Every structure is written in C-alpha cells, then in structure tokens.
Amino acid sequence: MAYLDLSSHRLHYRIEGDQNGNAPWLLFCNSLGTDLSMWDAQIADLSPHFRVVRYDRRGHGQSSAPPPPYALSDLGQDVLALMDGLGIERTHFCGLSIGGLTGQWLGIHAGKRLDKIVLCATAARIGTPESWGTRIDSVRADGLAGLAAATAERWFSPQFAASHAEAVDRILGAFTATSTDGYIGGCTALAGADLREEIVAIANPVLAISGNGDPVCPPADLEYIAARVQRGRHLSLPGRHIVNIESAKAFNSELLDFLRP
C-alpha cells in the first residue's frame, strides 16, 4: 500500500494506468462513507488513457483519522498535498458528493492546478447544518451500522440493488467500516460548506453528472452548478446517488468524451 504522511494524518492512495508517464493525470475523489474502491468500475475503461490516482479521504478506508471537526478547506488541502507529494502539477478531477464539493473548492481556490472538472451527484450546498448535526448525533449514539439500510436506499435504486447485490454489499461494507471520527469529520465539513455564490469563479471546463433518481443531490442541483460556473454542462444518467456504479458504462463513456482532447 502507498501512503502520504502529513502532519496530522496519513493518506492512502493508489496509482494506476499509463506506466510511461506520458498520459494526463486523472484524480478521483470519493463520497462520504466510502473508500477508493468505489471507483473500481471506472479503472478498466479510464486507465488506458490516464494516469489515475485514487485515494481514501482522511478518516476513510486505509487513511488515518485526525480528530474532527474538519472543514471543506481541509479536504481540499489534502488533495493539493497529495498532488504535491506525487509531483502532479495539474490533473483532471472527478469527485462525487462530498468529493464533488471538494472539486468545487479546488476550482475556486486552486483552479490552475486542475484541467477539466467532473462533478457528480453533488451540490454547491448539500443539506443544512441542522440536518448534518442530526446525522452526527445519530452516529455518535448508534454508529454507522444503523444507517446502512437507509444509505443503501438513497444510494441505489431498488432494481440495481436487487440485481447487483454483491456490488452493493461491498460498498455498504466500506461504509460501515468507516471510522466514526472520519465520518463525523466529513459531516462537519458538509455542514459548513456553502459554495452557491463562489462557484461563479470556476473557469475550468465542468461536466456536472446527476443520477436521474438521486434523492440526495437531484438533477436540479447539478443543473445549478452547470449554469453558475463559467464553462459548465449538465447531463443526467439512470441511477441514484452512486451513479458512477449504477450507470458505470455510460458514466465511463461520458468521462472519456469529456476529458480526452
């Protein structure tokens, strides 16, 4: 396993794809309560064209968990630290949910380090401070296992969950294995994140992808982002919140069309 040691925590990452160092970089950023395996369905199609970087957000997967609270800026700075540690000057970026908020923060504050940006199943503001506070209280009281059933319902359509039970179980296994501190830290970052006004500063080309049945970040949230950034486009694919898995082939095709010159 590969790790980057920072002052307060370590980040677990994985690099796949072009071994000659000539292809452009593509960095994936996960949703809350997942690890880098959530992008497994993208690797075979994307890695022949890019040097792909996946990593576990602080407190998730094999990355360590500094004590919460976290801010969205902390998550964005982790990406920049990872890029610096790996010698990556510029990269394409693809993030889902809180990963998409991280991408928006980077587009606002470090747009020159990014090429094209893909924002998936996200919003410029997800939920409210009150709703995230309620979530934090629930996790502190009962852990993550008690949220697994409701999470599966938000993340996957019933048809997909029934026909791809093994894939859904893997994702939920990563969810329940997430550290309590890491999950609560992600919730505090979401509670404090509102980029609805600031995203007008994003000048990078942006593709906003929604799941057409996503109850967490519905298509209107992605339409808003595409309309507010300077060079945005929105498309919707079949699925709920984890649309990169539920519509993997279509998702991969759209990424390739958007990211390749």
Side-chain angles (χ1 to χ4, degrees):
M1 292 185 182
Y3 295 93
L4 176 70
D5 288 311
L6 303 175
S7 59
S8 65
H9 59 290
R10 62 176 359 195
L11 294 175
H12 169 237
Y13 67 90
R14 186 179 300 168
I15 299 176
E16 293 149 300
D18 174 62
Q19 299 300 311
N20 298 317
N22 298 318
W25 289 98
L26 170 59
L27 190 149
F28 282 110
C29 191
N30 314 335
S31 61
L32 181 67
T34 65
D35 62 19
L36 56 74
S37 69
M38 73 167 287
W39 303 105
D40 282 353
Q42 277 62 65
I43 299 305
D45 287 343
L46 277 296
S47 61
H49 308 280
F50 302 97
R51 288 176 284 176
V52 178
V53 182
R54 298 187 276 170
Y55 77 103
D56 291 331
R57 177 178 297 103
R58 56 171 69 191
H60 289 63
Q62 300 301 313
S63 293
S64 64
Y70 309 157
L72 185 61
S73 58
D74 295 327
L75 307 186
Q77 291 293 345
D78 280 351
V79 174
L80 295 175
L82 182 61
M83 291 174 63
D84 290 343
L86 297 177
I88 300 172
E89 181 59 32
R90 291 175 65 92
T91 182
H92 297 307
F93 182 96
C94 178
L96 192 146
S97 198
I98 192 174
L101 263 171
T102 304
Q104 292 169 67
W105 186 92
L106 289 165
I108 294 163
H109 297 281
K112 292 183 179 179
R113 299 294 302 274
L114 304 184
D115 290 312
K116 296 178 180 179
I117 303 173
V118 184
L119 304 174
C120 317
T122 191
R125 180 188 183 189
I126 302 176
T128 64
E130 294 76 18
S131 66
W132 290 113
T134 299
R135 180 79 62 86
I136 290 169
D137 290 342
S138 175
V139 171
R140 283 180 173 150
D142 302 316
L144 286 169
L147 299 178
T151 297
E153 186 175 345
R154 289 192 299 269
W155 283 7
F156 300 105
S157 69
Q159 298 87 349
F160 183 85
S163 60
H164 296 79
E166 186 176 339
V168 172
D169 287 346
R170 283 198 302 270
I171 292 294
L172 292 179
F175 176 80
T176 56
T178 301
S179 74
T180 300
D181 276 355
Y183 190 87
I184 289 174
C187 290
T188 61
L190 287 162
D194 185 351
L195 304 182
R196 288 176 292 181
E197 299 302 321
E198 295 178 72
I199 59 172
V200 297
I202 299 176
N204 308 70
V206 172
L207 176 63
I209 302 178
S210 62
N212 63 6
D214 185 358
V216 182
C217 297
D221 289 342
L222 283 302
E223 291 171 356
Y224 178 89
I225 291 171
R228 292 284 288 175
V229 300
Q230 297 175 30
R231 302 163 66 189
R233 179 169 67 89
H234 167 250
L235 68 89
S236 195
L237 297 175
R240 291 193 177 176
H241 194 53
I242 311 295
V243 66
N244 69 296
I245 295 177
E246 190 155 351
S247 281
K249 284 299 180 185
F251 185 93
N252 296 349
S253 177
E254 294 291 351
L255 255 64
L256 284 169
D257 287 347
F258 176 67
L259 295 178
R260 286 188 296 190

